[in-house]
Amino acid sequence: MADEKRRSTASNQGAPRKTGKKKKKSSPVRIVIKVLLVLFLLVLLAFLFVLGRFVYKEFTTEDKPITAPPVDHDTTAKDQLSKVSYYMIGVMGESSTDPLEMLSLVCVDKEKDTVDVLQIPVATYIGKTEGWDVTTFGAVWASPKELTWCDLCRHRVLDTAEINEENVHIPCGQVVTTKKGSASGNLIDIFNDQYSMPVDAFFLFPRKAFVQMVNAVGGVDVELAEKLKVDDVTYDKGVQTLSGEAALYYALEFGYKDTPATDLQRLLHQRQVFTALFQRLTALSETALLDEVFDPVMSSSTPIRVDNLAQGRESLLAGMSNKTAENTDYEEAMSALIAGMADWQLTNMRYHVLPGEAAKNGTQHIYSVHAEDLLALLNGHFNPYGVEMGIEDLAISEVRNSKESDTQTATWDTVTVPQDGSLEETDESDE
């Protein structure tokens, strides 16, 4: 123990002594420098944080929007999709600035295995309102209304109450702008706002896509009331197998003179062509539909225009397939729907022309809807599971209502023929 004490004493003697002097205080200059350095570091950190958020948003917001976009239009309630779905189907003009050539609203009743098609004359008058920049149904496609848009939320602002006096989108604080409108969205708005009809998905055919689809199924057989010449090919009166080009010409241009009266006539041609196409499609298996028709058309340079929402795919699959919208693309969903309708009877499928009459609005030739007759048609054939609508549910601008409406209702079996022809039979025909 004594030895340890001695060692400890010796060790302490060799250690430097504490003087007990106080540390010198930092000078004012040094304090200022330290404060400035801390402030600089804080500003640098804040800058890096803001920069990081900006970069993150730029690379992720496209796929992960800050807020989910609202549904821009009325659709069928999800718990009803297995019973009924509504589709807008049309054919586009030569260019994006041309009016639509054909437009229909299709109601598919999956419980009763029925289909009802409301054919819309493209000159149908929609009135002069704030909703559209034009006055006819077909012209809406080429002249979509501008939308109020939030760049931060990346979606259309539907509720004007969300915008304050400084034009700021209240939920996110971003100043709203205007953006070129959605032509398809504007068309759907007419069905929603004026006819009180939901639209679950749309299919708008560029002309080339329609031609490609008809050719993919080997053409379509139609019964011609008179001789038809398309380019260098002449089809005689009677049942003929039309190529895609001939079917397109017959459905859209043959006898059409850009008047409501001749438009009604071509609606009857369209019935023949689309029923024949439906027959050809339902004769194929689901795999063949996907591999031979929808995959090639949708991967072409002019695919069918569709929306990219799960709601649309879900409406095709619900009640028709066990597939889910999340794991299915549009090509597969369309194939599943058509394959599921293969056994449906054409006698349970109907065409109806929109009730109305040709009229003039000033110097403009238009088609005037008959509101009461439309209401009766919608309640009778297009509203199988909803509450019965009243006239107050429609927003129709009648220009003329001077005669009885003729919807020319017809079942599909009355406008088609057996589909057993092939394109080779007509490709070599002469005038």
Side-chain angles (χ1 to χ4, degrees), residues 17 70 97 124 126 132 144 186 195 223 234 238 244 280 353 364:
R17 286 185 175 182
T97 59
T124 297
I126 60 175
W132 302 278
N186 274 194
Y195 300 177
E223 184 167 8
T234 296
R280 295 265 182 164
V353 173
Q364 183 184 24

Side-chain angles (χ1 to χ4, degrees), residues 201 203 306-307 309 312-313 316 328-335:
F203 305 92
V306 297
D307 62 64
L309 301 177
R313 299 192 301 277
L316 294 168
T328 308
D329 58 26
Y330 253 108
E331 293 91 314
E332 295 172 306
M334 288 187 286
S335 300

Side-chain angles (χ1 to χ4, degrees), residues 111-393:
E111 285 212 335
K112 299 175 184 175
D113 296 353
T114 65
V115 176
D116 281 279
V117 180
L118 181 63
Q119 295 181 286
I120 312 294
V122 293
T124 297
Y125 188 68
I126 60 175
K128 294 181 179 179
T129 70
E130 294 182 359
W132 302 278
D133 289 331
V134 291
T135 57
T136 60
F137 226 129
V140 168
W141 174 256
S143 305
K145 184 80 172 178
E146 284 193 340
L147 305 177
T148 302
W149 191 264
C150 178
D151 286 327
L152 185 58
C153 294
R154 292 182 182 269
H155 66 65
R156 178 184 178 186
V157 181
L158 295 171
D159 188 357
T160 55
E162 291 185 352
I163 305 172
N164 64 19
E165 295 178 355
E166 285 75 36
N167 224 28
V168 171
H169 189 210
I170 297 171
C172 69
Q174 176 76 18
V175 175
V176 297
T177 59
T178 57
K179 181 177 180 179
K180 183 179 179 180
S182 164
S184 58
N186 274 194
L187 287 169
I188 292 173
D189 284 344
I190 303 176
F191 286 117
N192 286 173
D193 300 346
Q194 297 197 356
Y195 300 177
S196 286
M197 285 285 104
V199 176
D200 299 307
F202 64 85
F203 305 92
L204 297 174
F205 287 77
R207 285 177 164 229
K208 289 182 179 179
F210 178 82
V211 169
Q212 185 178 359
M213 180 171 285
V214 171
N215 287 336
V217 296
V220 291
D221 291 321
V222 300
E223 184 167 8
L224 301 176
E226 56 186 291
K227 187 178 293 187
L228 172 71
K229 182 177 180 181
V230 183
D231 296 328
D232 295 330
V233 179
T234 296
Y235 300 87
D236 292 326
K237 177 181 176 180
V239 177
Q240 300 290 343
T241 304
L242 305 184
S243 67
E245 293 81 358
L248 179 73
Y249 178 80
Y250 182 66
L252 301 182
E253 298 179 35
F254 185 57
Y256 180 58
K257 299 178 181 178
D258 197 22
T259 64
T262 57
D263 194 15
L264 292 176
Q265 181 59 42
R266 72 172 178 172
L267 293 182
L268 304 182
H269 296 165
Q270 291 165 15
R271 294 179 178 189
Q272 293 177 272
V273 170
F274 275 87
T275 306
L277 178 58
F278 177 81
Q279 286 183 283
R280 295 265 182 164
L281 290 171
T282 51
L284 300 175
S285 68
E286 185 173 343
T287 300
L289 284 167
L290 180 61
D291 295 342
E292 300 172 19
V293 181
F294 290 113
D295 256 348
V297 170
M298 296 302 284
S299 61
S300 71
S301 59
T302 55
I304 303 169
R305 299 280 187 93
V306 297
D307 62 64
N308 293 314
L309 301 177
Q311 164 81 13
R313 299 192 301 277
E314 187 175 353
S315 73
L316 294 168
L317 297 169
M320 306 298 290
S321 172
N322 293 325
K323 296 177 180 178
T324 61
E326 291 74 18
N327 301 316
T328 308
D329 58 26
Y330 253 108
E331 293 91 314
E332 295 172 306
M334 288 187 286
S335 300
L337 175 67
I338 297 298
M341 299 171 72
D343 295 329
W344 292 17
Q345 300 301 308
L346 297 184
T347 52
N348 294 329
M349 303 180 187
R350 295 168 290 268
Y351 288 103
H352 316 268
V353 173
L354 181 71
E357 63 181 285
K360 287 190 71 175
N361 183 44
T363 59
Q364 183 184 24
H365 290 274
I366 55 97
Y367 186 80
S368 177
V369 182
H370 293 173
E372 290 283 356
D373 292 338
L374 174 61
L375 178 64
L377 179 61
L378 295 179
N379 277 325
H381 293 281
F382 292 85
N383 189 26
Y385 305 104
V387 177
E388 184 171 347
M389 297 188 296
I391 196 64
E392 68 278 1
D393 293 311

